[in-house]
Amino acid sequence: MAMPRETLMAYLEEAFPDAEITLTDLAGDNDHWQAEIVSAQFAGLTRVRQHQMVYEALKGTMGGELHALALKTRAP
């Protein structure tokens, strides 16, 4: 089961409407993604907390519909 770019982007844009989001399909299979997210919501937070926020935004799809997600997060 794979997650299309549009679905992944919709989850991320809903959670981080102010963000600059770049998605890269690492294997060409819609199953191994890299997301670079630049959001003011990350200001003052640890990298671990930033990544937790992204996983929360995915609403339980990580490890199921979405197999792998490499993250790069930061505040502007």
Side-chain angles (χ1 to χ4, degrees), residues 37-48:
I37 306 169
V38 181
S39 172
Q41 292 182 52
F42 297 144
L45 301 177
T46 66
R47 185 74 37 100
V48 169

Side-chain angles (χ1 to χ4, degrees), residues 6-72:
E6 296 78 20
T7 303
L8 179 54
M9 187 63 88
Y11 280 124
L12 297 174
E13 287 177 336
E14 179 182 349
F16 308 102
D18 70 318
E20 295 177 31
I21 302 169
T22 304
L23 293 179
T24 305
D25 186 348
L26 297 174
D29 61 1
N30 283 337
D31 210 19
H32 297 81
W33 290 100
Q34 175 179 287
E36 184 171 347
I37 306 169
V38 181
S39 172
Q41 292 182 52
F42 297 144
L45 301 177
T46 66
R47 185 74 37 100
V48 169
R49 181 63 193 129
Q50 292 173 19
H51 289 197
Q52 287 172 336
M53 290 171 65
V54 174
Y55 291 129
E56 289 165 6
L58 298 174
K59 302 177 183 178
T61 60
M62 191 67 219
E65 188 177 352
L66 181 59
H67 175 71
L69 179 64
L71 290 175
K72 295 181 180 180

